[in-house]
Amino acid sequence: MSILGDGGGISLPMGDNVQVVEVILTITDAAAERLRAVLAEEAGEDLVLIITTLSGGCSGHLYDMQVAERPDDSGFQHLDVDGIGVSVHNRDSERLNGIQVDYVDTLMGGGFKIENPNADRGCGCGKSFG
Amino acid sequence: MGDSRPTGPLWFERASCSRTVLSGADAVDLLQRITTNDLEEMSATDVRNTCLIDANGRMLDLLSVWHLGTELLLMGSENQGEVLRAHLADAVSWKDDVQAADADGVLTLLTLVGEGVDDVVCHLVGELPESGRWLMGETCWCARPVHKGEADCWDIVFQAGNRQEVLSLLSTHGVSRADEHTWQQERVSRGWLEGGREVDGTVIPLELDLWDSVSFDKGCFTGQEILARMESRGKLARTLVGLSCSAEPTLGRQHTEAGSVVVTSSVEHSRLGWIALALVRPSTMEDDGKFSMQGDAGEVEVEACILPFR
């Protein structure tokens, strides 16, 4: 039973008041090569890279990247970047528009890196931006 | 001297403290990502304090989180509800299964203070809730308040439809309603924080002695780098203290012989005289804590003390 009882409270809009922009993003050659390898290793049809921002991290937002089947949700924008399918939710469109996905391979730990022109700040680990 | 404090236990309605109910599978995870304390292991009946801060570590709200099983009840500081709700709305990702409801009109929050309130709480919910836990009675939920405090204080929450029944029970057990001045006497003398005064968007939780509302080992959260740096250096730029004053002090920032002082609250207390809460340099407490500052009617002699006032 809800603590709100029959009164119900007033439902609050969650994530609805966002500006939607048409996303343009780029993927470096190194990242594209790595992504094609990852996509080839995964089982499934119509696989895409889904890039998301989550609240949290030192600077306010975190990047989240996953390979999954192309989302069947009208809230997504679907892009073809050099033959790689990328999906971005409208809710993330303003924060992710203009990003460049790169891949860095170093002995001290490489991985995908995102350069984001919308970020005013980032944290030491490179996973958080604000 | 101000109005005398009524004798016996008191209740005060905390109408300006926001009451928000979160539900959905990712509600705890969302708060874990955007607030300072470790909430991941919370289970039903747990109560924990946590701070909502910005990326610069500045306080946006101080929350008491009550885990109700399938819902989380968030009780915020005074007048910070809009900030909290806007922040929550912005923080929810398309991946998050989180719903939120504004419960200000549905749930009432009272704080009970004073000698004898423990007996009243036993009448309301059957026994005294353990520290960090809430208990439910027939008409209300009860737990220790968000503020650090002495033994004789409790928060109770009830649905609006139970108002008359709860107030009648309180009256039957000799608990009187406190007016604003009496509440401020209680609050300031105990060093309890208020939204818009101590919690104001310029201060860092550690400066308000909210160490128990911050986890340093839970991983990343917004503003974490700032707090971790302060903790590792072991130094604070300022700290919240009590001021015993010879007269009414002027609220706000002023420069004194003890350095910059920000008076956040003041009240004329029936026993302690003029008292205030203020942010001062920690070195002030290492000296004798005495200095003079500007008051509304001239110079005021003050003595800083560790909270709460005795």
Side-chain angles (χ1 to χ4, degrees), chain A residues 23-92:
Chain A
V23 175
I24 299 171
L25 61 84
T26 55
I27 299 176
T28 64
D29 291 344
E33 184 182 343
R34 185 71 190 130
L35 280 170
R36 286 191 188 97
V38 170
L39 288 162
E41 288 167 9
E42 294 287 327
E45 292 182 8
D46 204 8
L47 295 177
V48 296
L49 173 69
I50 303 174
I51 309 177
T52 301
T53 67
L54 298 172
S55 56
C58 304
S59 301
H61 295 93
L62 294 162
Y63 298 111
D64 177 72
M65 290 170 57
Q66 65 177 121
V67 171
E69 288 186 13
R70 185 185 169 97
D72 185 24
D73 179 332
S74 60
F76 278 90
Q77 297 180 32
H78 303 288
L79 293 78
D80 184 313
V81 185
D82 299 331
I84 298 169
V86 180
S87 297
V88 174
H89 198 279
N90 281 333
R91 206 179 278 184
D92 296 321

Side-chain angles (χ1 to χ4, degrees), chain B residues 97 122 128 143 153 230 243 255 273 278:
Chain B
D97 172 17
C122 286
L128 289 184
C153 51
M230 291 181 86
L243 299 180
H255 294 282

Side-chain angles (χ1 to χ4, degrees), chain A residues 1-5 7-16 50-62 64 66 76 89 91-92 95 121-125, chain B residues 20-22 30 33-34 55-56 68 70-71 73 85 88-96 98-103 106-107 141 157 159 220-226:
Chain A
M1 193 188 87
S2 170
I3 192 174
L4 297 168
I10 302 167
S11 290
L12 296 166
M14 299 295 273
D16 296 341
I50 303 174
I51 309 177
T52 301
T53 67
L54 298 172
S55 56
C58 304
S59 301
H61 295 93
L62 294 162
D64 177 72
Q66 65 177 121
F76 278 90
H89 198 279
R91 206 179 278 184
D92 296 321
R95 288 191 188 116
R121 58 190 297 158
C123 77
C125 67
Chain B
T20 305
V21 174
L22 292 189
L30 175 68
R33 297 198 311 258
I34 66 170
N56 294 314
L68 305 172
T70 57
E71 297 174 327
L73 171 61
R85 288 160 187 165
L88 286 173
D90 185 56
V92 170
S93 153
W94 64 270
K95 295 178 83 168
D96 291 323
V98 179
Q99 297 81 46
D102 174 344
V106 181
L107 299 175
W141 291 257
V157 178
Q159 293 172 354
C220 284
F221 57 85
T222 305
Q224 182 244 1
E225 274 190 337
I226 305 291

